[in-house]
């Protein structure tokens, strides 16, 4: 339906039964009532949780292998982070030319879960986990240090495999 | 003794209505959830049965806010009018046949008025004062628009409501609701119950549509159309006063269903119930349960319609009321009168 010089023009005319309106009401009713018995989409949240696929970008974590982090403190993740959420402080290890992060902090209030840090990391040291339940009661609590970021590689195997297959 | 019986009936009916409102709200929320492939509230109590109780407690604890330049007395009066009207309308509806108890015959009807239908029409038109005053006294443009819309809508649809009932009144020859129900307990052609829905289908449809408009239910909920008017007439109401409007809306729904059942669906009449060979008392109880069951079915239909149809535009509402419903009901009354005159 459109207007032309103040005159109404119907591009599609209703049939007699549609103008009667009542049959259409019952058509609508049969649709909604048939929907009533279809399976529901709701998760019963605290008891039943969403199990994300491997492609899910949850909270970023640091991969821990044989008790030490893979991270070499190159600082690329910190540079690429659009939200400036990552802070890395590097130091040298006993080995020659090897560095490690003394301090590695991600501010989870700032993090936007873009996954750039994971993409840029040359060591596959920082990756996105499946964890999505992030609740804090203070700003300080939202800053994750190394001790909360480090996760054994076995726990994030699925994501590591996904990254290798998709690269 | 009479006062005792009457007050018992009032207490029972009011308690039944208030409790059914509590569950009606839950049923509406669960049913809408199912229609939208959701689950709906199921946390408070078993199957979420106590959800409405929690909501009422929440409303009770809310602050009562009155806008700065509102007309305070009218602002307080409006929800009272709404709830009073919603509570009194049910008084004349017979919810069962006369019952024999302890040697006395008790009519299952609070007020046995000989102008029952007239009473219902009069009281329901008072209900519009509640909404209009709420809109007027709030000192808010959206409330005022909602109040204006409600008055215009009520007046337009009350006309066709009354004219639809005329067909039924002509058939029964009385304004007494108990007699109208009794007339419907006969059988047509020996097997079809003589409910008015079969004898007056046009009146049934028009009355039902008008009932939607009178109770402000979707597709005719223009007085409180959320997307256009914030909350319509109850925008400036909080806490218990808002709760009263809410309660009144659902009680009106129950009453409207009861009127539809009484006038068109045979009231408490259960077809072929006398073949079961029950005693008088058991039969009466069965009839009251039948009445309740019919009301529940009509209410479910009300809810299903709400979650199926979109809201009417205001001009569509008016043209439906004046150009379609009014001529249709007038013609129906005329044809009914002519047929009755001929036979």
């Amino acid at each position: 339906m459109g207007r032309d010089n103040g005159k109404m023009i119907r591009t599609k005319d209703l049939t007699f039964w549609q103008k009667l309106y009542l049959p259409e009401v019952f058509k609508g009713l049969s649709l909604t009532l048939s929907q009533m018995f279809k399976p529901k989409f709701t998760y019963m949240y605290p008891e039943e949780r969403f199990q994300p696929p491997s492609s899910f970008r949850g909270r970023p974590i640091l991969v821990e292998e044989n008790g030490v982090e893979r991270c070499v403190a190159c600082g690329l993740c910190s540079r690429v982070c659009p939200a400036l959420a990552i802070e890395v402080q590097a130091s040298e290890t006993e080995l020659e030319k090897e560095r490690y992060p003394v301090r590695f902090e991600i501010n989870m209030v700032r993090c936007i879960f873009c996954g750039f840090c994971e993409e840029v990391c040359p060591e596959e040291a920082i990756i996105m986990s499946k964890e999505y339940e992030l609740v804090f009661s203070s700003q300080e609590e939202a800053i994750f240090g190394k001790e909360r970021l480090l996760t054994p590689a076995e726990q994030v195997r699925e994501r590591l495999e996904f990254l290798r297959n998709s690269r | 003794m009479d006062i005792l019986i009457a007050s018992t009936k009032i207490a029972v009916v009011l308690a039944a209505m208030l409790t059914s409102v509590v569950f009606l709200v839950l049923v509406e929320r669960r049913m809408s959830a199912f229609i939208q492939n959701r689950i709906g509230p199921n946390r408070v109590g078993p199957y979420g049965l106590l959800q409405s109780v929690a909501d009422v407690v929440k409303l009770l604890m809310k602050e009562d806010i009155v806008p700065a330049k509102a007309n305070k007395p009218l602002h307080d009066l409006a929800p009272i009018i709404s709830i009073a009207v919603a509570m009194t309308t049910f008084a004349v509806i017979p919810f069962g046949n006369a019952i024999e108890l302890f040697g006395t015959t008790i009519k299952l009807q609070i007020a046995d008025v000989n102008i029952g239908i007239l009473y219902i029409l009069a009281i329901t038109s008072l209900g519009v004062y509640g909404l209009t005053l709420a809109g007027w006294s709030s000192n808010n443009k959206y409330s005022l628009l909602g109040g204006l819309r409600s008055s215009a809508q009520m007046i337009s649809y009350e006309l066709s409501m009354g004219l639809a009932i005329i067909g039924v009144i002509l058939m029964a020859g009385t304004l007494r609701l108990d007699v109208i129900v009794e007339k419907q307990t006969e059988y047509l052609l020996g097997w079809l119950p003589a409910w008015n829905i079969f004898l007056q289908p046009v009146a049934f449809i028009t009355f039902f549509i008008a009932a939607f408009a009178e109770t402000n239910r979707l597709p005719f909920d223009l007085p409180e159309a959320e997307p256009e008017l914030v909350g319509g007439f109850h925008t400036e109401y909080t806490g218990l006063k808002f709760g009263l409007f809410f309660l009144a809306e659902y009680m009106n729904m129950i009453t409207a269903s009861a009127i539809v059942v009484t006038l068109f669906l045979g009231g408490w009449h259960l077809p072929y119930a006398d073949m079961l060979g029950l005693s008088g008392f058991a039969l009466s109880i069965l009839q009251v349960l039948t009445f309740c069951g019919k009301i529940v079915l009509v209410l479910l239909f009300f809810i299903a319609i709400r979650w199926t149809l979109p809201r009417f535009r205001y001009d569509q509402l008016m043209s439906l009321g004046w150009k379609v419903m009014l001529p249709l009901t007038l013609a129906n009354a005329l044809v009914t009168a002519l047929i009755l005159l001929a036979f």
Side-chain angles (χ1 to χ4, degrees):
Chain A
M1 212 162 47
R3 268 176 197 279
D4 188 34
N5 298 331
K7 266 189 201 162
M8 284 283 231
I9 295 172
R10 272 188 183 278
T11 46
K12 193 181 149 203
D13 235 339
L14 301 176
T15 64
F16 171 73
W17 288 107
Q18 283 170 331
K19 276 184 191 157
L20 214 54
Y21 200 63
L22 283 179
E24 297 292 306
V25 169
F26 283 101
K27 253 163 98 178
L29 269 177
S30 69
L31 179 75
T32 43
L33 293 183
S34 68
Q35 288 297 320
M36 274 184 77
F37 305 103
K38 296 230 169 115
K40 314 283 175 253
F41 292 107
T42 314
Y43 283 101
M44 304 290 287
Y45 170 62
E47 295 98 41
E48 183 192 356
R49 279 152 209 254
F50 169 56
Q51 296 300 329
S54 312
S55 56
F56 187 80
R57 293 202 306 263
R59 168 173 87 88
I61 51 113
L62 283 176
V63 181
E64 184 184 343
E65 223 169 15
N66 309 323
V68 281
E69 68 277 330
R70 280 178 173 179
C71 180
V72 292
C74 63
L76 275 174
C77 49
S78 157
R79 273 200 72 106
V80 81
C81 182
L84 305 177
I86 306 176
E87 193 183 324
V88 192
Q89 211 171 57
S91 181
E92 287 183 13
T93 59
E94 303 90 64
L95 296 162
E96 204 181 336
K97 285 185 181 174
E98 287 276 324
R99 303 202 309 164
Y100 80 104
V102 191
R103 213 156 64 90
F104 196 107
E105 282 180 356
I106 302 183
N107 187 340
M108 288 314 296
V109 174
R110 296 198 134 202
C111 178
I112 57 170
F113 305 95
C114 61
F116 283 6
C117 47
E118 173 191 57
E119 235 173 87
V120 82
C121 185
E123 300 287 325
E124 224 171 47
I126 181 167
I127 63 168
M128 310 300 274
S129 68
K130 286 183 181 180
E131 203 181 310
Y132 54 86
E133 285 158 331
L134 297 160
V135 186
F136 319 109
S137 48
S138 70
Q139 296 269 335
E140 291 74 42
E141 206 188 310
I143 299 171
F144 280 45
K146 243 168 86 171
E147 71 288 347
R148 283 162 88 187
L149 288 173
L150 280 174
T151 313
E154 303 86 64
Q155 281 179 31
V156 287
R157 215 185 58 250
E158 275 179 53
R159 178 69 179 178
L160 288 169
E161 270 164 25
F162 167 78
L163 290 172
R164 265 165 223 162
N165 293 336
S166 57
R167 252 171 206 169
Chain B
M1 190 62 188
D2 282 349
I3 292 173
L4 194 71
I5 292 173
S7 43
T8 316
K9 280 193 280 195
I10 292 172
V12 167
V13 167
L14 265 188
M17 273 184 90
L18 288 172
T19 35
S20 44
V21 165
V22 168
F23 292 111
L24 184 60
V25 175
L26 181 78
V27 166
E28 164 133 46
R29 290 178 67 180
R30 286 306 286 267
M31 195 162 159
S32 69
F34 283 147
I35 284 173
Q36 295 164 352
N37 295 332
R38 298 183 286 117
I39 293 173
N42 62 348
R43 288 300 151 122
V44 193
Y47 303 103
L49 280 174
L50 299 177
Q51 179 68 44
S52 306
V53 179
D55 289 344
V56 168
V57 170
K58 186 201 77 175
L59 278 177
L60 280 172
M61 292 195 292
K62 293 267 177 191
E63 186 191 352
D64 176 30
I65 299 166
V66 181
K69 284 185 180 168
N71 189 333
K72 183 98 175 36
L74 287 184
H75 197 261
D76 290 342
L77 184 66
I80 299 175
I81 294 179
S82 279
I83 196 73
V85 165
M87 281 180 168
T88 41
T89 322
F90 206 91
V92 292
I93 293 168
F95 48 90
N97 206 353
I99 197 168
E100 289 275 349
L101 208 61
F102 310 122
T104 42
T105 312
I106 301 170
K107 268 201 154 183
L108 291 183
Q109 185 181 15
I110 293 173
D112 185 18
V113 193
N114 58 0
I115 47 161
I117 290 181
L118 223 53
Y119 171 87
I120 287 175
L121 285 177
I123 293 287
T124 47
S125 14
L126 276 181
V128 71
Y129 280 99
L131 310 191
T132 315
L133 283 182
W136 173 253
S137 63
S138 293
N139 187 32
N140 175 323
K141 48 186 171 293
Y142 298 114
S143 299
L144 183 60
L145 276 172
L148 280 177
R149 280 182 176 192
S150 76
S151 53
Q153 178 179 322
M154 293 278 185
I155 290 165
S156 323
Y157 278 84
E158 225 146 55
L159 260 174
S160 29
M161 200 173 196
L163 282 168
I165 294 177
I166 282 192
V168 177
I169 299 172
L170 283 171
M171 304 271 302
T174 176
L175 291 167
R176 295 182 80 99
L177 284 167
D178 46 344
V179 179
I180 289 177
V181 174
E182 260 161 43
K183 289 252 164 148
Q184 294 181 68
T185 57
E186 288 155 18
Y187 291 92
L188 293 173
L189 312 169
W191 58 273
L192 189 70
W195 295 358
N196 280 324
I197 183 176
F198 304 120
L199 296 167
Q200 292 277 335
V202 177
F204 172 70
I205 290 167
T206 43
F207 184 87
F208 209 77
I209 293 170
F212 274 97
E214 287 284 303
T215 49
N216 288 327
R217 294 283 297 179
L218 231 91
F220 303 118
D221 73 335
L222 284 124
E224 47 183 302
E226 294 92 3
E228 345 171 353
L229 294 181
V230 192
F233 62 88
H234 59 56
T235 307
E236 297 291 356
Y237 281 88
T238 51
L240 201 59
K241 284 201 263 179
F242 170 77
L244 286 183
F245 275 125
F246 202 68
L247 186 62
E249 185 193 323
Y250 279 87
M251 283 179 92
N252 278 335
M253 230 171 106
I254 295 177
T255 314
S257 316
I259 298 170
V260 167
V261 168
T262 310
L263 290 180
F264 294 100
L265 300 175
W268 39 259
H269 178 226
L270 180 67
Y272 309 114
D274 28 347
M275 286 184 189
L276 293 172
L278 291 166
S279 66
F281 185 73
L283 192 65
S284 298
I285 297 296
L286 191 66
Q287 281 166 342
V288 173
L289 290 178
T290 311
F291 183 69
C292 298
K294 282 177 185 172
I295 289 185
V296 167
L297 285 181
V298 176
L299 283 174
L300 287 179
F301 189 74
F302 259 90
I303 295 172
I305 285 282
R306 169 165 180 193
W307 297 100
T308 302
L309 298 181
R311 181 177 298 120
F312 270 55
R313 221 169 47 214
Y314 199 63
D315 60 316
Q316 291 172 334
L317 175 89
M318 280 298 149
S319 66
L320 179 71
W322 289 100
K323 291 184 187 164
V324 182
M325 301 265 288
L326 190 63
L328 211 59
T329 43
L330 262 176
N332 183 58
L334 195 70
V335 170
T336 312
L338 284 177
I339 289 176
L340 283 174
L341 204 64
F343 298 99

